[in-house]
Amino acid sequence: MAPSKFPVIEIFGPTVQGEGMVIGQKTMFVRMAGCDYRCSWCDSAFTWDGSGKAEIRMLSAAEIAAELDSIAGDTYSHVTVSGGNPALLPHLNELIELLHGSGIGVALETQGSIWQDWFLHIDELTLSPKPPSSGMKTDWDVLDTIVGKLSAQERNFSLKVVVFDETDLQYAISTHQRYNGVPFYVQAGNEDVKEQDTSLLLQALLSKYMWLVEQVMASAELTRIRVLPQLHAWLWGNKRGF
Amino acid sequence: MAPSKFPVIEIFGPTVQGEGMVIGQKTMFVRMAGCDYRCSWCDSAFTWDGSGKAEIRMLSAAEIAAELDSIAGDTYSHVTVSGGNPALLPHLNELIELLHGSGIGVALETQGSIWQDWFLHIDELTLSPKPPSSGMKTDWDVLDTIVGKLSAQERNFSLKVVVFDETDLQYAISTHQRYNGVPFYVQAGNEDVKEQDTSLLLQALLSKYMWLVEQVMASAELTRIRVLPQLHAWLWGNKRGF
């Protein structure tokens, strides 16, 4: 059988993972084009709104691995597959197996709208169901199934909810209660994904994060929980490729 | 037997853990006075330099738990025991057991200069051996023993090295190589622990973190590693009690 090809829109790094369960991890990023969602505040809309179409290359797992090596040489041992929604790719196991074979760890983030069997082989899997401010609707049956399968296999995974406002916070609380016991992260939203002045953006991100910290600290419903910013946006603003 | 008393110098929270393996965690802090080290850049020198002596209260585990409840009510389920060096306290198991009995998670940080059997019951244990800039000398035999015992029991622990300069970075590399396979964190040092202007401090901390990120990204010796700032210092500067 011919190797599968994947719609790669960006490969970059090494850089630090700026958010979620592996925050701070030195990692390469492989960003896949295509998404089943259209979040109002998506910070990577070029992966699905047509604006990045010319950048998409159909690459095999071996071609992706070769490009990672050519960019980063021997300075990396961890890869984050991002999107878009990489769970749209049924054959991604080919890339995961190839990287694992070279001793490389693989993290992946998806909204949890689609199950793939290769979820069971991801080293750090983040499920990030989207709150009301995104304009998307969560399919709870699908998410229940995904969380159930990962829990049954005792996989290393977490839930992460981005929070922009009080309605989102309520969504985070009910998600945390529904999946009690699953490591849970809330993340302050970036309301200025087009702001190019990095110091203005930093002020906005800091105050949004402080707001979220205060909400969570006062809550009796959110106790065994982590509250994080997007570190990469604090450092590099809205620039792509960091 | 009478319950043990512990030299408590601060109890505060809930707030976010600003660093290391549980960065972002909503937690209460219990800070113990007393340290076997005198790090040149210690950000909690009041725990050992005599300046906080009047604040030290000798409290039993039950008294500490009661004070946590009175400050935070039902808004917390995680406690971080900090210092000073809490590994100076042989009976700390009394506090750990009491908190665990109430379903409360317990994290702890120590430099790894002393072993205590209760290390095996900490939910998230950070060992932070001190680099050359601290002026301290690492006792590698002791640290070998500690890492060996925690590894043998498959405990949830990590190593964290604060880095101020290139000599510290070399120390971090050799520590990482010595304990290959143990989750490893490097943290950008805070050179201005007395700076009271929060926005000046933020600029200094951001550039120090960026410097460390760049060093690590270029390194072939530091790949499966996390690079983190001290989030709390970015948010609250050098204020105590956050």
Side-chain angles (χ1 to χ4, degrees), chain B:
Chain B
M1 234 172 64
S4 304
K5 298 272 187 174
F6 306 101
V8 175
I9 193 162
E10 282 188 317
I11 297 181
F12 62 92
T15 187
V16 284
Q17 168 59 264
E19 58 188 67
M21 69 189 290
V22 274
I23 190 168
Q25 174 69 49
K26 180 180 181 180
T27 191
M28 298 294 293
F29 278 89
V30 177
R31 191 185 294 283
M32 302 297 186
C35 198
D36 47 324
Y37 274 22
R38 300 285 179 267
C39 296
S40 62
W41 35 250
C42 180
D43 60 4
S44 307
F46 63 95
T47 61
W48 52 261
D49 68 4
S51 64
K53 208 175 164 187
E55 300 169 55
I56 300 170
R57 294 174 299 152
M58 297 304 298
L59 301 180
S60 68
E63 287 165 336
I64 294 170
E67 191 158 321
L68 288 165
D69 285 345
S70 109
I71 296 172
D74 58 354
T75 65
Y76 79 105
S77 62
H78 190 270
V79 170
T80 302
V81 182
S82 183
N85 184 6
L88 289 168
L89 307 170
H91 303 294
L92 202 63
N93 58 298
E94 294 174 27
L95 178 61
I96 299 162
E97 285 163 20
L98 189 66
L99 294 171
H100 279 169
S102 306
I104 295 166
V106 181
L108 187 135
E109 177 168 333
T110 175
Q111 57 263 47
S113 55
I114 300 162
W115 167 259
Q116 295 289 356
D117 285 341
W118 51 253
F119 281 10
L120 296 172
H121 305 295
I122 298 292
D123 299 295
E124 299 108 358
L125 180 65
T126 298
L127 303 174
S128 57
K130 304 303 176 189
S133 65
S134 69
M136 299 296 113
K137 278 235 178 293
T138 303
D139 185 331
W140 294 105
D141 290 341
V142 173
L143 195 56
D144 287 354
T145 305
I146 294 174
V147 170
K149 287 184 179 181
L150 293 167
S151 300
Q153 300 284 323
E154 298 184 2
R155 297 302 304 160
N156 185 25
F157 77 107
S158 69
L159 285 157
K160 185 183 75 174
V161 174
V162 180
V163 173
F164 284 81
D165 55 31
E166 296 205 10
T167 311
D168 288 354
L169 192 64
Q170 286 308 312
Y171 173 92
I173 290 170
S174 62
T175 306
H176 180 47
Q177 287 169 339
R178 188 178 188 105
Y179 304 115
N180 190 18
V182 176
F184 195 81
Y185 294 75
V186 287
Q187 175 177 305
N190 176 358
E191 283 166 332
D192 304 285
V193 293
K194 295 191 190 307
E195 176 61 66
Q196 290 302 314
D197 182 322
T198 309
S199 73
L200 276 184
L201 180 68
L202 178 61
Q203 286 312 314
L205 295 172
L206 273 168
S207 30
K208 195 74 188 181
Y209 180 57
M210 286 294 277
W211 169 80
L212 183 57
V213 166
E214 283 160 18
Q215 301 300 311
V216 172
M217 294 311 122
S219 168
E221 290 156 313
L222 298 170
T223 64
R224 193 67 77 89
I225 188 182
R226 300 216 214 170
V227 193
L228 287 173
Q230 290 183 300
L231 264 189
H232 55 283
W234 290 20
L235 295 171
W236 293 293
N238 289 318
K239 291 191 195 77
R240 276 181 54 186
F242 286 97

Side-chain angles (χ1 to χ4, degrees), chain A residues 3-22:
Chain A
S4 304
K5 298 272 189 176
F6 305 101
V8 176
I9 193 163
E10 279 188 320
I11 297 181
F12 63 92
T15 186
V16 284
Q17 169 56 265
E19 59 188 65
M21 68 190 290
V22 273

